Amino acid sequence: MAPHTPHVVIAGGGIAGLTAALALHAVGFHRITVVEAARRARPVGAGLNLMPGAVRELDALGLLPALEAGAALRTRELRYYHRSGGLISREPRGLGAGYRWPQLSVHRAHLQRVLGDAVRDRLGDAAVLTGVRVTGVEARGAGRPLLRIEHRDVAGRAGRASLEPDVLVGADGIRSAVRAALNPGEGHPPWNGMLVWRGVSRMPQTAAARFMLIAGDDRQKAVVYPMSRPVDGHVLVNWALARPADGVPEAHFLGDWNRPVGVDTFLRHYEGWEFDGLRVTDVLRAAETAHEYPMVDREPLARWSHGRTTLIGDAAHAMYPVGSNGASQSVIDARALAHALAAHREPAAALRAYEAGRRPVTTALQRANRRQGPEVVIDLAHRRAPHGFHDIRQVIPAEELAAIAGRYAATGALDPATVNLGSPYGPPYLPACAVAGSTPVA
């Protein structure tokens, strides 16, 4: 009699969790359960960029056509500007930079819709349980972890249950319940004192830039880029702004990191910001909504895996929004985890192998993002020429600019030569690690 395939429970139905479910199914797992605290998917934030290395992994899962058939847009160029309007650098992205895969700008809701549709099509509707909150985890060494959950019905009545899956994956974000159980006493994610405002604007195609821009000085920054093809002559434009909180207390954000605010709250700070014809204030005034967040990350962990329990995505390595790496690294985590579980018969050994391959890379990116990553060129330009410049070569030599970008790409294995080698997360497939199934516990 053939052994049962392992039961994998994934806590969190966001980008990391849904991608992990698809990646596990692709290598032969069939007993996969995603538990999500929200009763309905409610993507927060706005747009995001998927780097070519992450697009490579989504393509391997057969998702690229659906992404591009919808609202995703290929990012072709990135420009850095000083707040005075001076161009610091411009660089091709995606295919234009020599990658075999594009870089994609996409609304978070569209990406999650594509992932969710694929999970339902391939694994069935029962694979995702909504309204289920993790209340406790016991890793239990080499044995099956004990997962305590609370679920609410449509009337709001709560029920409690426990599960003993073969593998538990914490994909439940920066305030992960699984991470908290594995690291008691860690506390809240640390705040660096910066505010972030995000939103989406619907603009005439003629008024929106065709490139992605990152602009600012050593105090505040703006990121603006289109993320859809034209519809009725209009495109969706994603924007994110950051500046010091100036007296806003940390308690202001406790319990609500997705706070709606009026654009007038911060518009004045970006008056006069214009870059090759694009006025940032025009973009902001076209927004229907805006949200305010604290800029937080997580301290790098010394370990992610405890027996048969591990972490992926923001639960493992939440980082500052620098270098377009948050969602991208979550996608790569998911593929790496599935590959390791298929390649090792013993789940705990599989999780150790997954962590050994991924934790050093993401830890390096977390630390690089705290140093501003590739965006440090803006701070550097402002320190050397605070009132602006006519020729960036007199401020930062071309060789220095190239070295900064190259170092960051090398930190995350993001360079074209590495990405173009193809995915390292192909075969082997199950049943290499087939083990006895899990047992629900009352």
Side-chain angles (χ1 to χ4, degrees), residues 84-420:
S84 64
L87 178 65
I88 297 171
S89 69
R90 56 191 299 175
E91 52 190 68
R93 309 297 281 182
L95 301 179
Y99 291 93
R100 291 170 52 195
W101 290 269
Q103 178 174 326
L104 295 179
S105 297
V106 59
H107 199 293
R108 183 178 294 270
H110 174 60
L111 173 58
Q112 288 198 207
R113 189 179 305 116
V114 168
L115 293 170
D117 288 349
V119 169
R120 285 187 290 273
D121 289 345
R122 300 175 193 183
L123 283 74
D125 292 339
V128 180
L129 304 179
T130 58
V132 177
R133 185 171 65 89
V134 174
T135 60
V137 175
E138 293 179 26
R140 291 180 162 180
R144 295 190 187 97
L146 175 66
L147 174 66
R148 295 187 178 89
I149 57 175
E150 179 182 277
H151 53 89
R152 293 185 176 274
D153 61 21
V154 291
R157 294 185 294 265
R160 292 176 176 82
S162 298
L163 295 171
E164 284 186 328
D166 294 296
V167 177
L168 173 61
V169 180
D172 46 344
I174 190 170
R175 292 190 282 188
S176 164
V178 179
R179 176 175 174 136
L182 299 178
N183 300 274
E186 185 180 28
H188 296 291
W191 180 32
N192 69 355
M194 297 286 286
L195 291 180
V196 178
W197 297 284
R198 288 179 175 146
V200 177
S201 300
R202 186 173 182 269
M203 301 185 67
Q205 180 184 5
T206 54
R210 290 185 160 186
F211 49 86
M212 178 179 184
L213 72 85
I214 304 177
D217 55 23
D218 61 347
R219 179 172 169 81
Q220 64 186 73
K221 292 184 174 63
V223 180
V224 181
Y225 56 85
M227 60 176 182
S228 73
R229 290 187 290 275
V231 176
D232 297 329
H234 288 74
V235 298
L236 293 180
V237 176
N238 184 72
W239 51 267
L241 315 172
R243 76 183 313 273
D246 289 340
V248 176
E250 188 171 5
H252 176 71
F253 297 104
L254 291 179
D256 186 2
W257 286 4
N258 190 30
R259 184 184 300 274
V261 296
V263 170
D264 289 343
T265 304
F266 50 83
L267 185 70
R268 67 187 185 279
H269 299 304
Y270 294 88
E271 293 285 357
W273 285 42
E274 182 172 344
F275 309 101
D276 285 330
L278 179 79
R279 287 191 292 269
V280 172
T281 50
D282 287 350
V283 176
L284 301 182
R285 290 190 178 100
E288 294 183 359
T289 60
H291 289 80
E292 181 180 73
Y293 310 80
M295 187 181 289
V296 294
D297 65 357
R298 276 293 193 187
E299 292 293 337
L301 290 173
R303 61 187 293 200
W304 296 347
S305 304
H306 297 249
R308 297 184 180 199
T309 301
T310 196
L311 305 171
I312 66 172
D314 282 351
H317 49 68
M319 58 188 72
Y320 291 155
V322 173
S324 303
N325 258 305
S328 294
Q329 295 302 317
S330 296
V331 168
I332 297 171
D333 283 352
R335 285 276 287 165
L337 174 64
H339 179 265
L341 283 168
H344 294 78
R345 181 173 296 275
E346 210 285 309
L351 300 188
R352 289 194 297 270
Y354 151 70
E355 179 179 333
R358 292 295 299 150
R359 189 169 56 83
V361 173
T362 57
T363 296
L365 285 171
Q366 286 179 289
R367 290 172 174 157
N369 284 7
R370 285 183 171 181
R371 299 189 298 269
Q372 295 297 307
E375 296 174 22
V376 74
V377 297
I378 296 174
D379 301 61
L380 192 59
H382 185 74
R383 286 200 300 270
R384 296 179 183 179
H387 303 295
F389 49 84
H390 296 291
D391 186 348
I392 188 60
R393 292 172 298 183
Q394 297 176 358
V395 180
I396 310 176
E399 297 80 5
E400 188 175 1
L401 288 172
I404 291 170
R407 279 196 302 271
Y408 188 74
T411 297
L414 306 169
D415 57 287
T418 302
V419 171
N420 289 349

